[in-house]
Structure formats: structure tokens, C-alpha cells
Coordinates of all heavy atoms in Angstrom, one line a residue:
M234 N 94.5 97.2 111.2 CA 93.9 96.7 110.0 C 93.9 95.2 110.0 O 94.9 94.6 110.1 CB 94.7 97.2 108.8 CG 94.2 96.8 107.5 SD 95.2 97.5 106.2 CE 95.5 96.1 105.1
A235 N 92.7 94.7 110.0 CA 92.6 93.2 110.0 C 92.3 92.7 108.6 O 91.5 93.3 107.8 CB 91.4 92.8 110.9
L236 N 92.9 91.6 108.3 CA 92.6 91.0 107.0 C 91.5 89.9 107.2 O 91.5 89.2 108.1 CB 93.9 90.2 106.5 CG 95.1 91.1 106.2 CD1 96.2 90.2 105.8 CD2 94.8 92.0 105.0
G237 N 90.6 89.9 106.2 CA 89.6 88.9 106.2 C 90.1 87.6 105.6 O 91.2 87.5 105.1
L238 N 89.3 86.5 105.7 CA 89.7 85.2 105.2 C 90.0 85.3 103.8 O 91.0 84.7 103.3 CB 88.7 84.2 105.5 CG 89.0 82.8 105.1 CD1 90.3 82.3 105.8 CD2 87.8 81.8 105.5
G239 N 89.2 86.0 103.0 CA 89.5 86.1 101.6 C 90.8 86.8 101.3 O 91.5 86.4 100.3
D240 N 91.1 87.8 102.0 CA 92.4 88.5 101.8 C 93.6 87.6 102.2 O 94.6 87.6 101.5 CB 92.4 89.8 102.8 CG 91.4 90.8 102.4 OD1 91.1 91.0 101.2 OD2 90.9 91.4 103.3
I241 N 93.4 86.9 103.2 CA 94.5 85.9 103.6 C 94.7 84.9 102.6 O 95.8 84.5 102.2 CB 94.2 85.3 105.0 CG1 94.2 86.4 106.1 CG2 95.1 84.2 105.3 CD1 93.7 85.9 107.4
M242 N 93.6 84.4 102.0 CA 93.7 83.4 100.9 C 94.4 83.9 99.7 O 95.2 83.3 99.1 CB 92.4 82.8 100.6 CG 91.8 81.9 101.8 SD 90.1 81.3 101.5 CE 90.5 80.2 100.2
K243 N 94.1 85.2 99.4 CA 94.7 85.9 98.2 C 96.2 86.0 98.5 O 97.1 85.8 97.6 CB 94.1 87.2 98.0 CG 92.8 87.2 97.3 CD 92.2 88.6 97.1 CE 90.8 88.6 96.7 NZ 90.2 89.9 96.5
V244 N 96.6 86.4 99.7 CA 98.0 86.6 100.0 C 98.7 85.3 99.9 O 99.8 85.1 99.4 CB 98.2 87.2 101.4 CG1 99.6 87.2 101.9 CG2 97.7 88.7 101.4
K245 N 98.1 84.2 100.5 CA 98.7 82.9 100.4 C 98.9 82.4 99.0 O 100.0 81.9 98.7 CB 97.8 81.9 101.2 CG 98.2 80.4 101.1 CD 99.3 80.1 102.0 CE 99.5 78.6 102.1 NZ 100.6 78.1 101.3
S246 N 97.9 82.6 98.2 CA 98.0 82.2 96.8 C 99.1 83.0 96.1 O 99.9 82.4 95.3 CB 96.7 82.4 96.1 OG 96.8 82.1 94.7
A247 N 99.2 84.3 96.3 CA 100.2 85.1 95.7 C 101.6 84.7 96.2 O 102.6 84.6 95.4 CB 100.0 86.6 95.9
W248 N 101.7 84.4 97.5 CA 103.0 84.0 98.0 C 103.4 82.6 97.4 O 104.6 82.4 97.1 CB 103.0 83.9 99.5 CG 104.2 83.2 100.1 CD1 104.4 82.0 100.5 CD2 105.5 83.8 100.1 NE1 105.7 81.8 100.9 CE2 106.4 82.9 100.6 CE3 106.0 85.1 99.8 CZ2 107.8 83.2 100.8 CZ3 107.4 85.4 99.9 CH2 108.2 84.4 100.4
D249 N 102.5 81.7 97.3 CA 102.8 80.4 96.7 C 103.4 80.5 95.3 O 104.3 79.9 94.9 CB 101.6 79.5 96.8 CG 101.2 79.0 98.2 OD1 102.1 79.1 99.1 OD2 100.1 78.5 98.3
K250 N 102.7 81.4 94.5 CA 103.2 81.6 93.1 C 104.5 82.3 93.1 O 105.4 81.9 92.4 CB 102.2 82.5 92.4 CG 102.5 82.7 90.9 CD 101.6 83.7 90.3 CE 100.2 83.1 90.1 NZ 99.3 84.0 89.3
F251 N 104.7 83.3 94.0 CA 106.0 83.9 94.1 C 107.1 83.0 94.5 O 108.2 83.0 93.9 CB 105.9 85.1 95.1 CG 107.2 85.9 95.3 CD1 107.5 86.9 94.5 CD2 108.1 85.5 96.3 CE1 108.6 87.7 94.6 CE2 109.3 86.3 96.4 CZ 109.6 87.3 95.6
A252 N 106.8 82.1 95.5 CA 107.8 81.1 95.9 C 108.2 80.1 94.8 O 109.4 79.7 94.7 CB 107.3 80.4 97.2
R253 N 107.2 79.7 94.0 CA 107.5 78.8 92.9 C 108.4 79.5 91.9 O 109.3 78.9 91.3 CB 106.2 78.4 92.2 CG 105.5 77.2 92.9 CD 104.4 76.6 92.0 NE 103.5 77.6 91.5 CZ 102.4 78.0 92.2 NH1 102.1 77.6 93.4 NH2 101.6 78.9 91.6
N254 N 108.2 80.8 91.6 CA 109.0 81.5 90.6 C 110.3 81.9 91.1 O 111.2 82.2 90.4 CB 108.2 82.8 90.2 CG 107.0 82.5 89.4 OD1 106.9 81.4 88.7 ND2 106.0 83.3 89.4
H255 N 110.5 82.0 92.5 CA 111.7 82.5 93.1 C 112.1 81.6 94.3 O 112.1 82.1 95.4 CB 111.6 84.0 93.5 CG 111.1 84.9 92.4 ND1 111.9 85.3 91.4 CD2 109.8 85.4 92.2 CE1 111.1 86.1 90.6 NE2 109.9 86.1 91.0
P256 N 112.4 80.4 94.1 CA 112.6 79.4 95.2 C 113.7 79.8 96.1 O 113.7 79.4 97.3 CB 112.9 78.1 94.5 CG 113.3 78.5 93.1 CD 112.7 79.8 92.8
K257 N 114.7 80.6 95.7 CA 115.8 80.9 96.6 C 115.4 81.9 97.7 O 116.0 81.9 98.7 CB 117.0 81.5 95.8 CG 117.7 80.4 94.9 CD 118.9 81.1 94.2 CE 119.6 80.0 93.3 NZ 120.7 80.6 92.7
F258 N 114.4 82.7 97.4 CA 114.0 83.7 98.4 C 113.4 83.1 99.6 O 113.8 83.5 100.7 CB 113.0 84.7 97.7 CG 112.8 85.9 98.6 CD1 113.8 86.8 98.8 CD2 111.5 86.1 99.2 CE1 113.5 87.9 99.7 CE2 111.3 87.2 100.0 CZ 112.3 88.1 100.3
P259 N 112.5 82.1 99.5 CA 112.0 81.5 100.8 C 113.1 80.8 101.5 O 113.1 80.7 102.7 CB 110.9 80.5 100.3 CG 110.5 81.0 99.0 CD 111.7 81.7 98.4
M260 N 114.0 80.2 100.8 CA 115.2 79.5 101.4 C 116.0 80.6 102.2 O 116.4 80.3 103.3 CB 116.1 78.8 100.4 CG 115.4 77.6 99.8 SD 116.3 76.5 98.6 CE 117.6 77.5 98.0
F261 N 116.2 81.7 101.6 CA 116.9 82.8 102.3 C 116.1 83.2 103.6 O 116.7 83.4 104.6 CB 117.0 84.0 101.3 CG 117.4 85.3 102.0 CD1 118.7 85.6 102.3 CD2 116.4 86.3 102.3 CE1 119.1 86.8 102.9 CE2 116.8 87.5 102.9 CZ 118.1 87.7 103.2
L262 N 114.8 83.4 103.5 CA 114.0 83.8 104.6 C 114.1 82.8 105.7 O 114.2 83.1 106.9 CB 112.6 84.1 104.2 CG 112.3 85.3 103.3 CD1 110.8 85.4 103.0 CD2 112.8 86.6 104.0
N263 N 114.1 81.5 105.4 CA 114.2 80.4 106.4 C 115.5 80.4 107.1 O 115.6 80.2 108.3 CB 113.9 79.1 105.7 CG 112.4 78.8 105.5 OD1 111.6 79.3 106.2 ND2 112.2 78.0 104.5
A264 N 116.6 80.7 106.3 CA 117.9 80.8 106.9 C 118.0 82.0 107.9 O 118.6 81.8 109.0 CB 119.0 81.0 105.8
V265 N 117.4 83.1 107.5 CA 117.4 84.3 108.4 C 116.6 84.0 109.6 O 117.0 84.3 110.8 CB 116.9 85.5 107.6 CG1 116.7 86.7 108.6 CG2 117.9 85.9 106.5
K266 N 115.4 83.4 109.4 CA 114.5 83.1 110.5 C 115.2 82.1 111.5 O 115.1 82.3 112.7 CB 113.3 82.4 110.0 CG 112.2 82.1 111.1 CD 111.0 81.5 110.5 CE 110.0 81.2 111.6 NZ 108.8 80.5 111.0
G267 N 116.0 81.2 111.0 CA 116.7 80.3 111.9 C 117.8 81.0 112.7 O 118.0 80.6 113.9
K268 N 118.4 82.0 112.2 CA 119.5 82.7 113.0 C 118.9 83.8 113.8 O 119.5 84.3 114.8 CB 120.5 83.3 112.0 CG 121.4 82.3 111.3 CD 122.5 82.9 110.6 CE 123.8 82.5 111.3 NZ 124.9 83.1 110.7
G269 N 117.7 84.4 113.4 CA 117.2 85.5 114.1 C 117.7 86.8 113.5 O 118.6 86.8 112.7
V270 N 117.2 87.9 114.1 CA 117.7 89.2 113.6 C 117.9 90.1 114.9 O 117.1 90.8 115.3 CB 116.6 89.9 112.7 CG1 117.1 91.3 112.3 CG2 116.3 89.1 111.5
P271 N 119.1 89.9 115.5 CA 119.4 90.6 116.8 C 119.7 92.1 116.5 O 120.0 92.5 115.4 CB 120.6 89.9 117.3 CG 121.2 89.3 116.1 CD 120.2 89.0 115.1
V272 N 119.6 92.8 117.6 CA 120.0 94.2 117.6 C 121.4 94.3 117.0 O 122.3 93.6 117.3 CB 119.9 94.9 119.0 CG1 120.5 96.2 119.0 CG2 118.5 94.9 119.5
G273 N 121.6 95.3 116.1 CA 122.9 95.5 115.5 C 123.0 94.9 114.1 O 124.0 95.2 113.4
T274 N 122.1 94.0 113.8 CA 122.1 93.4 112.4 C 121.8 94.5 111.4 O 121.0 95.4 111.6 CB 120.9 92.3 112.3 OG1 121.2 91.3 113.3 CG2 120.9 91.7 111.0
V275 N 122.5 94.4 110.3 CA 122.3 95.4 109.2 C 121.5 94.7 108.1 O 121.9 93.6 107.6 CB 123.6 95.9 108.6 CG1 123.4 96.8 107.4 CG2 124.4 96.7 109.7
I276 N 120.4 95.2 107.7 CA 119.5 94.7 106.6 C 119.7 95.6 105.5 O 119.4 96.8 105.5 CB 118.0 94.6 107.1 CG1 117.9 93.7 108.3 CG2 117.2 94.1 105.9 CD1 116.5 93.7 108.9
G277 N 120.1 95.1 104.3 CA 120.3 95.9 103.1 C 119.3 95.5 102.0 O 119.0 94.3 101.9
I278 N 118.9 96.4 101.3 CA 118.0 96.2 100.1 C 118.5 97.0 98.9 O 118.8 98.1 99.1 CB 116.5 96.7 100.5 CG1 116.0 95.9 101.7 CG2 115.6 96.5 99.3 CD1 114.7 96.4 102.2
S279 N 118.6 96.3 97.8 CA 119.0 97.0 96.6 C 118.0 96.6 95.4 O 117.5 95.5 95.4 CB 120.4 96.7 96.2 OG 120.6 95.4 95.8
I280 N 117.9 97.5 94.5 CA 117.0 97.3 93.3 C 117.8 97.7 92.1 O 118.4 98.8 92.1 CB 115.7 98.1 93.4 CG1 114.9 97.6 94.6 CG2 114.9 97.9 92.1 CD1 113.6 98.4 94.9
D281 N 117.9 96.9 91.1 CA 118.5 97.2 89.8 C 117.4 97.2 88.8 O 116.8 96.2 88.4 CB 119.6 96.1 89.5 CG 120.8 96.2 90.4 OD1 121.3 97.3 90.6 OD2 121.2 95.1 90.9
Y282 N 117.1 98.4 88.3 CA 116.1 98.5 87.3 C 116.6 98.1 85.9 O 117.8 98.2 85.6 CB 115.6 100.0 87.3 CG 114.8 100.4 88.5 CD1 115.4 101.0 89.6 CD2 113.5 100.1 88.6 CE1 114.7 101.4 90.7 CE2 112.7 100.4 89.7 CZ 113.4 101.0 90.8 OH 112.7 101.4 91.9
P283 N 115.7 97.7 85.0 CA 116.1 97.3 83.7 C 116.9 98.4 82.9 O 117.8 98.0 82.1 CB 114.8 97.0 82.9 CG 113.8 96.7 84.0 CD 114.2 97.5 85.2
G284 N 116.7 99.6 83.1 CA 117.4 100.7 82.4 C 118.8 101.0 83.0 O 119.5 101.8 82.5
G285 N 119.1 100.2 84.0 CA 120.5 100.4 84.6 C 120.5 101.2 85.9 O 121.6 101.2 86.6
E286 N 119.4 101.8 86.3 CA 119.4 102.6 87.6 C 119.5 101.6 88.8 O 118.9 100.5 88.8 CB 118.1 103.4 87.7 CG 118.0 104.2 89.0 CD 116.7 105.0 89.1 OE1 115.8 104.9 88.2 OE2 116.6 105.7 90.1
H287 N 120.3 102.0 89.8 CA 120.5 101.2 91.0 C 120.2 102.0 92.2 O 120.6 103.1 92.3 CB 122.0 100.7 91.0 CG 122.3 99.9 92.3 ND1 122.0 98.6 92.3 CD2 122.8 100.3 93.4 CE1 122.4 98.2 93.5 NE2 122.9 99.2 94.2
V288 N 119.3 101.5 93.0 CA 118.9 102.1 94.3 C 119.1 101.2 95.4 O 118.8 100.0 95.3 CB 117.4 102.5 94.2 CG1 117.0 103.3 95.5 CG2 117.1 103.4 93.0
E289 N 119.7 101.6 96.5 CA 119.9 100.8 97.7 C 119.9 101.5 99.0 O 120.1 102.8 99.0 CB 121.3 100.0 97.5 CG 122.5 100.9 97.7 CD 123.8 100.0 97.6 OE1 124.1 99.7 96.4 OE2 124.4 99.7 98.6
T290 N 119.6 100.8 100.0 CA 119.6 101.4 101.3 C 119.8 100.3 102.3 O 119.8 99.1 102.0 CB 118.2 102.1 101.7 OG1 118.4 102.8 102.9 CG2 117.1 101.1 101.8
N291 N 120.1 100.6 103.6 CA 120.2 99.6 104.6 C 119.8 100.2 106.0 O 119.7 101.5 106.1 CB 121.6 99.0 104.7 CG 122.7 100.1 105.1 OD1 122.6 100.6 106.1 ND2 123.6 100.3 104.2
I292 N 119.4 99.4 106.9 CA 119.1 99.8 108.2 C 119.9 98.9 109.2 O 120.2 97.8 109.0 CB 117.6 99.7 108.5 CG1 117.1 98.3 108.5 CG2 116.8 100.6 107.6 CD1 115.8 98.0 109.2
K293 N 120.2 99.5 110.3 CA 120.8 98.8 111.4 C 119.7 98.6 112.4 O 119.1 99.5 112.9 CB 122.0 99.6 112.0 CG 122.8 98.8 113.1 CD 124.0 99.6 113.5 CE 124.9 98.7 114.3 NZ 126.1 99.5 114.7
V294 N 119.4 97.3 112.7 CA 118.3 97.0 113.6 C 118.5 97.5 115.0 O 119.6 97.2 115.6 CB 118.0 95.4 113.6 CG1 116.9 95.1 114.6 CG2 117.7 95.0 112.2
S295 N 117.5 98.2 115.5 CA 117.6 98.7 116.9 C 116.7 97.9 117.8 O 115.8 97.2 117.3 CB 117.2 100.2 116.9 OG 115.9 100.4 116.7
E296 N 116.7 98.2 119.1 CA 115.8 97.5 120.0 C 114.4 97.8 119.7 O 113.5 97.0 119.7 CB 116.1 98.0 121.4 CG 115.4 97.3 122.5 CD 115.9 95.8 122.7 OE1 117.1 95.6 122.6 OE2 115.0 95.0 123.0
E297 N 114.1 99.1 119.3 CA 112.8 99.5 118.9 C 112.2 98.8 117.6 O 111.0 98.7 117.5 CB 112.7 101.0 118.7 CG 113.0 101.8 119.9 CD 113.1 103.3 119.7 OE1 113.3 103.7 118.5 OE2 113.0 104.0 120.7
D298 N 113.1 98.3 116.8 CA 112.7 97.6 115.6 C 112.3 96.2 115.8 O 111.7 95.6 114.9 CB 113.9 97.6 114.5 CG 114.3 99.0 114.1 OD1 113.4 99.9 114.0 OD2 115.5 99.2 113.9
L299 N 112.6 95.6 116.9 CA 112.4 94.2 117.1 C 110.9 93.8 117.1 O 110.6 92.7 116.7 CB 113.0 93.7 118.4 CG 114.6 93.7 118.4 CD1 115.1 93.2 119.7 CD2 115.1 92.9 117.3
D300 N 110.0 94.7 117.5 CA 108.6 94.4 117.5 C 108.1 94.1 116.0 O 107.4 93.2 115.7 CB 107.7 95.5 118.1 CG 107.8 95.5 119.6 OD1 108.1 94.5 120.2 OD2 107.4 96.6 120.1
L301 N 108.6 95.0 115.1 CA 108.3 94.8 113.7 C 108.9 93.5 113.2 O 108.3 92.7 112.5 CB 108.7 96.0 112.9 CG 108.5 95.8 111.4 CD1 107.1 95.7 111.0 CD2 109.1 97.0 110.6
V302 N 110.1 93.2 113.5 CA 110.8 92.0 113.0 C 110.1 90.8 113.5 O 109.8 89.9 112.8 CB 112.3 92.0 113.5 CG1 112.9 90.7 113.2 CG2 113.1 93.1 112.9
E303 N 109.6 90.8 114.8 CA 108.9 89.6 115.3 C 107.5 89.5 114.6 O 107.1 88.4 114.3 CB 108.7 89.8 116.8 CG 109.9 89.6 117.7 CD 110.6 88.3 117.5 OE1 109.8 87.2 117.5 OE2 111.8 88.2 117.3
T304 N 106.9 90.6 114.3 CA 105.6 90.5 113.6 C 105.8 90.0 112.2 O 105.0 89.1 111.7 CB 105.0 91.9 113.5 OG1 104.7 92.4 114.8 CG2 103.7 91.9 112.7
L305 N 106.9 90.4 111.5 CA 107.1 89.9 110.1 C 107.5 88.4 110.1 O 107.1 87.7 109.2 CB 108.3 90.7 109.5 CG 107.9 92.2 109.2 CD1 109.2 92.9 108.7 CD2 106.8 92.3 108.1
K306 N 108.1 88.0 111.2 CA 108.5 86.5 111.2 C 107.2 85.7 111.3 O 107.2 84.5 110.8 CB 109.3 86.3 112.5 CG 110.8 86.7 112.3 CD 111.6 86.6 113.5 CE 111.4 85.5 114.4 NZ 112.4 85.5 115.6
K307 N 106.1 86.2 111.9 CA 104.9 85.4 112.0 C 104.1 85.4 110.7 O 103.2 84.6 110.6 CB 104.1 86.0 113.2 CG 104.7 85.9 114.5 CD 103.9 86.6 115.6 CE 104.7 86.5 116.9 NZ 104.0 87.3 117.9
V308 N 104.3 86.3 109.8 CA 103.5 86.4 108.6 C 103.9 85.3 107.6 O 105.0 84.9 107.5 CB 103.7 87.8 107.9 CG1 103.0 87.9 106.6 CG2 103.2 88.9 108.9

């Protein structure tokens, strides 16, 4: 799936707005990018909904996951 120039500009605009509203997140990503994500790294994600529900998961990065991690670093 290829993105057109218009799609890329929309993503860039949305990211810029998101980064202004949540400045710690890009700083977090830059810190992670600087260290890398080697095999064996555990990535955790959690969501706390307004009603109190909490959902979380994590993955342990495998050799097979590194292609996706490298692709995401370029985005």
C-alpha cells in the first residue's frame, strides 16, 4: 500500500498537531530510537479508559520482529 503525497502531508500535519499536544511522546520515541530495539526487548502498551477499565499487553521482540521495528523507525 503506497501513500500519495496528499496522504503523507495529512499524516505529517496530524503528527505535528499530536506532537504539540503531547510533547513527551516524541521525546520518548527519540530516546528509544537512540538506544534501538534489540531482540529480547519487551514493549508494553496499556490503556486506561475514562470509565476505569484498564487494558494492557506486551510483546518480547524476536528476530522476526526486527523488520517491522526497522520500518517503523523510518516513518
Side-chain angles (χ1 to χ4, degrees):
M234 178 176 136
L236 295 176
L238 182 57
D240 295 323
I241 293 170
M242 292 176 70
K243 286 179 187 177
V244 170
K245 171 79 169 103
S246 176
W248 172 256
D249 290 345
K250 184 186 292 186
F251 182 87
R253 280 192 306 275
N254 291 335
H255 309 284
K257 290 182 182 180
F258 190 70
M260 292 182 342
F261 166 79
L262 292 178
N263 284 332
V265 171
K266 183 178 179 181
K268 290 188 116 182
V270 183
V272 171
T274 299
V275 176
I276 299 173
I278 300 171
S279 69
I280 298 176
D281 293 312
Y282 291 97
E286 182 182 359
H287 177 82
V288 180
E289 68 179 79
T290 191
N291 63 62
I292 63 163
K293 188 172 188 177
V294 176
S295 70
E296 189 70 38
E297 294 173 342
D298 298 326
L299 292 181
D300 285 341
L301 175 60
V302 171
E303 288 302 314
T304 300
L305 290 174
K306 282 172 39 177
K307 295 175 187 174
V308 173

